[in-house]
């Protein structure tokens, strides 16, 4: 089974704390590079990844508003960190702490995006899973994608305001590095 046909199996795939998943895309999110860790975890061969949209590995449990936030941040030429659950080509899933940055040419124009992903803390995954379930529930209340994104974005913003945090502060509060600071 491949993208669009993949059904989540519930099997979680792990990777080493010393491993990084790396991919690069053009400005439209089409994959131009994927390292061997990406290929292994995603269960896709390189020829089925290069030239395809990065959402090839989008898990249905990911709230749309998180990707809207990601793209809005990148369009502002800023980096973003986010916890993401990805869907492999064989139905397995894997959690990552993603760091996505714009790539610039010599004249300062954005020419693509670079993403490094590492293994997240398990406590962070648990906290993120709970938040994302709430966001997806808000999205399911709406049939139009734009309304769904608006509703989950409003809920995310309210939850962050209740915590007195920005999205970045929330993400870092879940990491062992953030908890130690």
């Amino acid at each position: 089974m491949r993208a669009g046909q993949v059904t989540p199996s519930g099997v979680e795939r792990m990777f080493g704390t010393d491993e990084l998943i790396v991919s690069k895309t053009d400005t439209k999110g089409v994959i131009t590079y994927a390292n061997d860790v990406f290929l292994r975890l995603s269960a896709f061969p390189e020829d089925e990844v290069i030239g395809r949209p990065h959402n090839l590995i989008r898990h249905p449990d990911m709230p749309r508003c998180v990707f809207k936030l990601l793209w809005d941040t990148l369009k502002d030429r800023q980096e973003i960190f986010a916890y993401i659950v990805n869907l492999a080509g064989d139905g397995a899933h894997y959690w990552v702490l993603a760091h996505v940055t714009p790539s610039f040419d010599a004249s300062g124009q954005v020419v693509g995006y670079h993403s490094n992903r590492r293994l997240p803390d398990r406590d962070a995954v648990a906290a993120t899973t709970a938040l994302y379930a709430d966001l997806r529930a808000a999205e399911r209340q709406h049939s139009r994608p734009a309304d769904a994104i608006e509703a989950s974005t409003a809920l995310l913003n309210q939850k962050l305001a209740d915590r007195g945090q920005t999205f970045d502060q929330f993400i870092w509060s879940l990491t062992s590095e953030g908890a130690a600071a």
Side-chain angles (χ1 to χ4, degrees):
M1 275 193 188
R2 290 299 177 219
Q5 304 170 332
V6 179
T7 301
S9 66
V11 173
E12 184 170 9
R13 183 165 292 134
M14 302 295 287
F15 59 106
T17 57
D18 61 336
E19 293 185 292
L20 284 177
I21 301 169
V22 179
S23 61
K24 296 179 183 181
T25 70
D26 66 13
T27 56
K28 298 203 184 304
V30 174
I31 300 170
T32 59
Y33 171 80
N35 75 344
D36 60 333
V37 182
F38 178 106
L39 297 173
R40 185 181 81 241
L41 288 170
S42 71
F44 282 106
E46 186 175 37
D47 65 342
E48 290 185 28
V49 169
I50 303 301
R52 299 282 306 274
H54 207 284
N55 67 6
L56 170 77
I57 58 171
R58 185 181 186 278
H59 195 287
D61 286 349
M62 278 301 301
R64 294 175 180 188
C65 69
V66 174
F67 288 114
K68 180 181 183 330
L69 176 63
L70 182 143
W71 281 108
D72 288 350
T73 302
L74 292 173
K75 285 178 184 171
D76 286 343
R77 302 167 63 95
Q78 301 296 311
E79 68 183 349
I80 187 168
F81 290 85
Y83 290 98
I84 307 285
V85 60
N86 290 316
L87 181 63
D90 61 1
H93 68 275
Y94 54 101
W95 278 93
V96 300
L97 172 56
H99 176 212
V100 187
T101 63
S103 298
F104 301 95
D105 66 12
S107 67
Q109 295 299 309
V110 174
V111 294
Y113 304 102
H114 183 272
S115 179
N116 292 315
R117 276 96 67 209
R118 63 181 168 153
L119 188 68
D121 296 335
R122 295 312 300 174
D123 289 343
V125 169
T128 305
T129 299
L131 171 63
Y132 287 2
D134 291 344
L135 297 176
R136 284 190 326 278
E139 290 178 353
R140 284 192 299 272
Q141 299 298 313
H142 303 275
S143 58
R144 285 181 10 133
D147 295 338
I149 292 169
E150 184 178 329
S152 59
T153 298
L155 180 58
L156 175 61
N157 290 338
Q158 183 60 56
K159 287 182 174 282
L160 292 171
D162 291 349
R163 294 175 64 108
Q165 294 178 318
T166 65
F167 186 75
D168 282 345
Q169 290 168 332
F170 169 71
I171 294 299
W172 288 113
S173 74
L174 300 178
T175 67
S176 58
E177 292 94 351

